[in-house]
Amino acid sequence: MASEGILLGMGNPLLDISAVVDEQFLQKYDIKLNDAILAEEKHKPMYEEMATKYNVEYIAGGATQNSIRVAQWMLQIPGATSYMGCIGKDKFGEEMKHNSKLAGVNVHYYEDESAPTGTCAVCVVGGERSLIANLSAANCYKSEHLKRPENWALVEKAKYFYIAGFFLTVSPDSIQLVAEHAAANNKFFTMNLSAPFICEFFKDAQDKILPYMDFVFGNETEARTFSKVHGWETENVQEIALKISQCPKASGTHKRITVITQGADPVVVAEDGKVKLFPVILLPKEKLVDTNGAGDAFVGGFLSQLVQEKPIEDCVRAGCYAANVIIQQSGCKYPEKPDFN
C-alpha cells in the first residue's frame, strides 16, 4: 500500500488552453508539431486568437502536475501525492486549486501577487499536439517557499520525488535541495528530459542534476537531442538510453534506470547494462483524440506502481495503460476510476 504523501512533485502549474487548430495557424506562429517550447513575443497574440477562432477547452495542466494527478488517480488513496509550484492570485489559480483538490492531490502552491497564473497553448492537428507555454507566475517559484517548515515537511514525508525538466528553467536551486535530500536519505529522485530545448539550452543545469537521478524519463526525440548535445554521435534510442543509465551517480544506493517512450513503438528501459523493450497498447487511429499529456500520463502510471515497489514490468504496463486512457480524451483527463490490475 502507498502511504500518504509518498510521492512529491514540483513543477510549473499551467492552465492548458487546448484547441484543434489548422496547419495555417501552426505556420503563422512558426510552430512545429510534437514540440514543446516557451512562448516568445511573436506567440503572445495566439492565445487570444485561439480563444476567439477555435473551440477552446481549459484544462489544468503543466507536465509534473499532470503526472502527479495521474499517479494519484491510479493509486486511489487520498493524499498519497503532493505537489508544489507557483500560481497567480486570480481566477485561473483558483480553478487550479479546486481541480487539484478534487483530484485528491495535496497541493502547496506558492501564490504570486504580481504575475497571472501560467498558461499553455495546446495546438492539436491530426491528433498530434504542440505546446507553447507562457509561464508567467509559474516562473516565479522560489526555494524560500520550499524551505518553509510546512512545505519542507512534504519533502521529509515523501520517499519518491518527480520533477519534469521544465522546472530547470525556473528553480534549479529548489531541484538541487530536493535531489540532495533524496541522495542523503536513500530516497528515489526521478526526472524527465521533458523537451529538446531543455536538453539543448539548459544542458549545464540538467547535467548538474543528472548524478542525482535514479530514474530518467523521456521520449525518443528528447533522447536523440540529449545524445547530440553530449557528442555521443548516435541516434539509436536503445544505445542512448543505456548511456544515460551509465552516467555517474551521486549516491550508490540505487542504480539508474532510463525509460524512453517512442509513441506507438515499444518503450525502451535500460538498467544494469541491458536494454529491454516493452510493447505499448496500440490504439486504432479513430479512437485517438489527442496526444497531449500522453508522456505525462505514462510517467504518472509508472510512478503509481513504483511507489508500491512493484517490478519494472508492472510500472511500464501501468504507464502504458494510463497513456492509452489519456490519448482517448482531450488533454490530461481521465474517467472516475482506473481499470488497471
Side-chain angles (χ1 to χ4, degrees):
M1 276 291 278
S3 55
E4 195 191 320
I6 193 165
L7 172 63
L8 171 64
M10 293 182 76
N12 303 332
L14 304 172
L15 193 75
D16 283 354
I17 300 173
S18 180
V20 175
V21 300
D22 47 40
E23 286 289 349
Q24 284 91 327
F25 186 84
L26 297 184
Q27 280 163 7
K28 178 176 177 181
Y29 289 105
D30 192 22
I31 299 165
K32 294 201 290 280
L33 264 188
N34 277 328
D35 205 1
I37 58 170
L38 293 176
E40 296 169 42
E41 214 39 60
K42 65 181 178 190
H43 298 116
K44 293 285 159 73
M46 67 180 282
Y47 298 88
E48 196 53 43
E49 186 176 333
M50 279 176 80
T52 50
K53 198 169 163 186
Y54 301 101
N55 187 10
V56 167
E57 270 194 283
Y58 295 92
I59 306 157
T64 307
Q65 186 162 246
N66 284 343
S67 296
I68 294 297
R69 278 175 47 220
V70 169
Q72 178 60 48
W73 169 67
M74 291 284 286
L75 285 162
Q76 293 285 312
I77 298 159
T81 63
S82 312
Y83 175 80
M84 285 188 250
C86 185
I87 58 175
K89 287 203 155 183
D90 53 20
K91 187 173 102 256
F92 284 169
E94 284 306 313
E95 186 146 319
M96 198 87 82
K97 280 195 278 195
H98 175 69
N99 267 331
S100 304
K101 291 210 172 76
L102 274 183
V105 179
N106 178 18
V107 291
H108 283 212
Y109 291 124
Y110 171 53
E111 293 183 46
D112 189 81
E113 302 282 348
S114 54
T117 296
T119 50
C120 182
V122 180
C123 303
V124 180
V125 174
E128 303 289 346
R129 60 86 179 130
S130 196
L131 310 174
I132 303 90
N134 183 13
L135 296 183
S136 297
N139 206 24
C140 302
Y141 191 83
K142 306 277 184 294
S143 57
E144 285 67 53
H145 177 262
L146 173 64
K147 290 174 187 164
R148 284 184 206 154
E150 68 273 22
N151 299 325
W152 191 254
L154 298 181
V155 178
E156 296 278 359
K157 198 170 199 181
K159 293 191 178 76
Y160 295 82
F161 302 95
Y162 175 66
I163 302 177
F166 294 120
F167 204 51
L168 287 165
T169 75
V170 173
S171 189
D173 53 334
S174 296
I175 301 176
Q176 188 75 32
L177 285 169
V178 172
E180 287 174 1
H181 167 86
N185 294 278
N186 299 337
K187 296 178 174 185
F188 287 90
F189 182 78
T190 72
M191 279 194 80
N192 203 311
L193 301 177
S194 286
F197 88 87
I198 298 288
C199 303
E200 212 162 344
F201 304 114
F202 293 85
K203 176 184 179 291
D204 293 350
Q206 195 174 50
D207 284 351
K208 192 179 169 198
I209 298 289
L210 183 64
Y212 295 94
M213 298 182 204
D214 299 309
F215 283 82
V216 176
F217 297 98
N219 67 24
E220 73 279 39
T221 319
E222 295 149 11
R224 288 186 177 119
T225 306
F226 190 94
S227 170
K228 190 178 81 184
V229 299
H230 287 85
W232 289 349
E233 296 185 357
T234 176
E235 291 255 304
N236 182 311
V237 175
Q238 296 183 41
E239 254 176 71
I240 297 164
L242 207 49
K243 274 182 174 295
I244 293 173
S245 73
Q246 289 165 339
C247 288
K249 285 209 77 220
S251 144
T253 312
H254 310 299
K255 58 188 175 183
R256 181 181 301 114
I257 299 177
T258 316
V259 184
I260 307 293
T261 58
Q262 309 187 87
D265 292 328
V267 178
V268 177
V269 176
E271 64 172 313
D272 294 332
K274 291 192 282 290
V275 172
K276 281 186 185 155
L277 297 178
F278 297 90
V280 302
I281 308 160
L282 293 176
L283 189 72
K285 188 81 176 150
E286 64 274 12
K287 282 193 168 179
L288 173 70
V289 175
D290 72 50
T291 55
N292 179 27
D296 302 335
F298 175 86
V299 173
F302 188 102
L303 292 172
S304 74
Q305 304 308 299
L306 185 69
V307 303
Q308 299 180 74
E309 299 177 17
K310 297 279 173 71
I312 292 297
E313 294 72 23
D314 291 357
C315 297
V316 173
R317 225 164 39 83
C320 292
Y321 164 76
N324 187 266
V325 169
I326 295 302
I327 61 178
Q328 297 182 64
Q329 322 265 337
S330 107
C332 201
K333 298 201 300 270
Y334 38 78
E336 193 189 340
K337 289 252 180 353
D339 172 26
F340 175 78
N341 48 27

